Amino acid sequence: MNPVPPSATPAPPRRWRLAALIAALSMIGPFAIDTYLPAFDAIRRELGATPIAVQQTLSAYLLSFALMMLWHGALSDALGRRPVVIGTLAVFAVATLGCAIAGNIQSLWLFRAVQGLCAGAPMVVGRALIRDRFHGPEAQRLMSQVTLIFGIAPAIAPVIGGVLLNAFGWRSVFWFLLAFTLALLGWCLHSLPETLPPAARQPLHPKALFRNYRAVLGKLDFLLLATIPALNFAAFFLYVATAPTFLVNLLGVSTRGFAWLFVPMITGIMLGALISGRVAGRLSPERTVRLGYGFAFAGAAINLAVSVAGLAHVAWHVLPIFVFCIGSAVIMPTITLILLDLFPSMRGLSSSLQGFVQFALAAVNAGTIAPFLAGSLWTLALGMATFTFASFGLWLIYLRRRHRQAPSTSHP
């Protein structure tokens, strides 16, 4: 029997196993955010902190998450994909232990910040790993498979957090996260492949790094493509960041009812990822993104209409978020692959910078924009619509630039 050459495309079951591993690694971020959202009030009472101080544990996590994303990709371009993932998982586990035993709000801020420093590596390196090994429609399909599996985490995380909170207290949320991290670490040690050969690695020297960062950040197409999904993410992250206020205060849901928001939200993301995978190779990137914006604008419009009408039941207010998330998940894989192909030799760094833009905006959103808009259902809906229009405007600018450049450059 002839051996399969190294360049051959892996069999579908193997692709799904790789997708499952990368998706599980990407779950670290949502689990670190969503499982403890129902516990905000319990943390405030036990640690004697103000509501704003507890909210800042989320901002500390997101800010450090965004800042360190600048480095995860560059480190993986220099050292390889596998060591960066395994090393950051180990540090994340130690920080999670610190959160579980924190005795005051200041300690919780510190350990949440350390968690944020590590949690972005699996997402950043996972994207680069996919693009290292797969190309064209196959890469889009795998990216969509990852999104489909990854979507489970934000749906179940707040439900798990609510159950643990009511059964064992808020610290049990971090003990659960520690067990999940250690299980992932063992899986990676056994199964995570290295996809970047030593000959393809970039030097980890200050001058080379500065030159590479300047090259990526100096390209307007990259900045446009990085900001488009960041704005779409911000549009529905408004509701994640304000989940306790949105659900409990504005809609009268109990702390056990966070699934009202997260299950429809993530079902929408998974459905959008499924659509993205199905249209890969059938629709052009431009038509795929156009399809996604059709859903996104429909969700934003329904959200505004429901808020103006004053419909009381929570289902009316999560329906438009569900529709919007379908569109966001259709758009994201296509935009990401176009972005990563701008700099084929620096995909890790490009993925890092894309993640930095997304989560820096998320940190600002969680700490300032979301609390400001959380006073009413109408202002939250207006915020979603504004982010959506801004994202679409940048996409139109990118298309205009691409069409002007079309005679001299090809498009992925």
Side-chain angles (χ1 to χ4, degrees):
M1 183 171 63
N2 294 328
V4 178
S7 60
T9 302
R14 186 169 182 81
R15 288 200 301 270
W16 270 102
R17 287 198 295 270
L18 180 61
L21 176 54
I22 295 173
L25 287 168
S26 299
M27 288 178 181
I28 284 283
F31 270 141
I33 295 172
D34 298 338
T35 49
Y36 95 123
L37 289 176
F40 272 22
D41 195 51
I43 294 172
R44 178 189 63 77
R45 290 195 307 269
E46 181 173 331
L47 299 184
T50 65
I52 291 295
V54 177
Q55 181 77 25
Q56 286 170 346
T57 63
L58 178 58
S59 295
Y61 171 89
L62 288 170
L63 185 59
S64 61
F65 187 107
L67 289 173
M68 193 59 195
M69 269 198 161
L70 290 169
W71 301 101
H72 291 314
L75 288 170
S76 76
D77 284 342
L79 306 176
R81 314 302 189 202
R82 181 180 161 90
V84 172
V85 172
I86 290 173
T88 52
L89 280 177
V91 177
F92 184 89
V94 174
T96 304
L97 174 62
C99 291
I101 62 175
N104 52 57
I105 195 66
Q106 291 81 11
S107 297
L108 192 57
W109 287 340
L110 172 64
F111 288 117
R112 287 290 288 167
V114 176
Q115 278 187 319
L117 292 175
C118 305
M123 179 187 300
V124 168
V125 179
R127 289 173 184 165
L129 190 150
I130 289 172
R131 198 60 190 86
D132 288 342
R133 181 163 286 189
F134 300 96
H135 307 279
E138 192 62 29
Q140 183 176 335
R141 290 190 191 99
L142 187 61
M143 196 79 77
S144 299
Q145 289 172 0
V146 168
T147 304
L148 190 64
I149 303 168
F150 154 81
I152 297 170
I156 64 173
V159 178
I160 293 172
V163 171
L164 291 172
L165 169 67
N166 288 287
F168 305 107
W170 68 268
R171 295 181 188 275
S172 64
V173 171
F174 291 104
W175 289 115
F176 162 78
L177 187 58
L178 176 60
F180 178 74
T181 305
L182 292 176
L184 273 183
L185 183 58
W187 190 2
C188 287
L189 288 169
H190 181 265
S191 302
L192 185 68
E194 178 56 72
T195 60
L196 188 68
R201 295 178 187 177
Q202 298 289 319
L204 196 62
H205 299 303
K207 287 184 178 179
L209 282 175
F210 177 76
R211 185 172 59 250
N212 291 343
Y213 277 111
R214 185 175 60 183
V216 174
L217 291 174
K219 191 172 183 66
L220 181 57
D221 284 352
F222 173 86
L223 296 175
L224 291 170
L225 291 168
T227 308
I228 288 165
L231 290 169
N232 287 334
F233 181 79
F236 68 84
F237 190 73
L238 280 172
Y239 292 91
V240 176
T242 62
T245 300
F246 173 65
L247 291 171
V248 179
N249 297 345
L250 297 179
L251 296 176
V253 176
S254 74
T255 56
R256 296 177 184 268
F258 275 61
W260 267 109
L261 171 64
F262 288 91
V263 171
M265 180 182 290
I266 304 309
T267 302
I269 290 175
M270 295 174 73
L271 182 56
L274 184 62
I275 293 170
S276 175
R278 289 297 178 91
V279 302
R282 301 178 185 179
L283 296 182
S284 67
E286 184 174 338
R287 291 183 65 191
T288 301
V289 173
R290 191 187 309 156
L291 173 66
Y293 273 114
F295 281 103
F297 276 114
I302 296 169
N303 202 17
L304 287 168
V306 167
S307 300
V308 170
L311 299 176
H313 197 278
V314 63
W316 285 109
H317 295 277
V318 298
L319 171 64
I321 300 172
F322 162 75
V323 175
F324 179 89
C325 286
I326 295 175
S328 179
V330 170
I331 295 166
M332 178 69 172
T334 299
I335 296 291
T336 298
L337 291 172
I338 296 172
L339 179 149
L340 292 177
D341 281 344
L342 292 176
F343 297 93
S345 65
M346 295 183 287
R347 291 190 180 113
L349 186 146
S350 299
S351 182
S352 275
L353 288 171
Q354 181 192 17
F356 170 77
V357 172
Q358 178 172 323
F359 286 95
L361 180 56
V364 173
N365 198 355
T368 58
I369 300 172
F372 177 74
L373 297 177
S376 72
L377 296 170
W378 159 252
T379 52
L380 285 170
L382 187 61
M384 170 182 274
T386 301
F387 279 128
T388 306
F389 274 105
S391 168
F392 185 64
L394 294 184
W395 172 245
L396 292 179
I397 293 172
Y398 168 76
L399 286 181
R400 188 175 303 164
R401 287 176 52 80
R402 194 197 80 181
H403 292 155
R404 283 204 303 264
Q405 297 165 0
S408 58
T409 60
S410 61
H411 188 268

